[in-house]
Amino acid sequence: MLTDYERLANLNKDYLWNPFTQMKDYISSDPLIIERGEGIKLYDVQGRAYYDGFSSVWLNVHGHNVPELNQAITDQLSRVAHSTLLGMANRPAIELAEKLTGIAPSGLNKIFYSDSGAAGVEIAIKMAFQYWQNKGVKSKKAFITMNQAYHGDTIGAVSVGAIPLYIRLRASLTSGQSG
Ligand SMILES: Cc1ncc(COP(=O)(O)O)c(C=O)c1O
């Protein structure tokens, strides 16, 4: 009879492909499997506590299970979980946009939402490109990238990045050259 941890670990190895993880090594290890979080700590399914010292890759800056955030999410869920911004709008999208423009540097007074860093970079690339196309400067389509730059892992974001490990295999996809 498997323990709950062993069952989850086996299912992880059978069905879940962890990003930025060498799965060959991962499947021969005992994976860390998180059950819940509280403030700065995460707890695994076996009840052990860990300091989430890198805020779950910088994304959990306010800590885990924060009552005020949980309440705000629950309040919104009880109204509507999702509605599109395609040709229409919704209350929180509008009100947050106003707040964000209030704290953004002057001149940045429009908000376009994205759901991840890589998608945000894709959007910025497309907007910058289209801006010059619309202005009639058709030749302006090169992007300068810094050495070792990382902007996310989608194809467009990789195309303006410069970490050899990430771009080596995909060069032919992102630049038209063979890899
Ligand atoms: C500088 C930078 N840009 C973009 C990204 C991509 O963000 P995401 O993982 O949300 O797509 C990251 C992620 O680490 C990043 O560090």
Side-chain angles (χ1 to χ4, degrees):
M1 178 76 176
L2 296 178
T3 64
D4 183 44
Y5 171 78
E6 289 166 339
R7 183 182 70 83
L8 289 168
N10 287 346
L11 291 173
N12 179 176
K13 294 172 190 182
D14 284 347
Y15 297 114
L16 181 62
W17 197 349
N18 299 66
F20 284 88
T21 304
Q22 177 48 268
M23 293 308 290
K24 199 170 49 183
D25 299 331
Y26 189 83
I27 57 172
S28 62
S29 70
D30 294 326
L32 172 56
I33 303 175
I34 297 302
E35 179 90 287
R36 63 188 180 87
E38 198 72 49
I40 198 175
K41 288 186 181 169
L42 287 169
Y43 295 84
D44 71 13
V45 292
Q46 293 159 302
R48 285 183 296 234
Y50 303 83
Y51 284 103
D52 188 4
F54 73 157
S55 305
S56 294
V57 197
W58 323 307
L59 294 178
N60 198 268
V61 290
H62 301 293
H64 298 282
N65 214 0
V66 178
E68 295 88 334
L69 293 181
N70 288 359
Q71 189 61 55
I73 292 167
T74 309
D75 288 350
Q76 181 57 42
L77 281 178
S78 69
R79 289 192 286 271
V80 61
H82 171 77
S83 70
T84 187
L85 289 181
L86 298 178
M88 53 195 272
N90 58 65
R91 178 190 295 274
I94 293 168
E95 291 177 349
L96 178 61
E98 187 205 14
K99 275 193 185 156
L100 291 173
T101 56
I103 58 175
S106 96
L108 297 181
N109 48 20
K110 298 280 184 203
I111 300 300
F112 189 96
Y113 291 112
S114 151
D115 58 355
S116 72
V121 171
E122 302 271 340
I123 291 162
I125 291 170
K126 288 190 285 186
M127 279 185 179
F129 172 76
Q130 195 172 337
Y131 174 81
W132 289 110
Q133 294 299 303
N134 289 353
K135 286 231 159 214
V137 189
K138 305 281 182 196
S139 61
K140 203 167 168 86
K141 37 186 162 176
F143 289 86
I144 294 173
T145 187
M146 287 191 288
N147 193 24
Q148 295 294 326
Y150 177 73
H151 297 294
D153 209 37
T154 54
I155 298 296
V158 168
S159 77
V160 290
I163 295 181
L165 176 66
Y166 299 146
I167 60 175
R168 203 175 49 227
L169 272 175
R170 303 170 188 155
S172 61
L173 276 178
T174 58
S175 68
Q177 295 158 11
S178 58

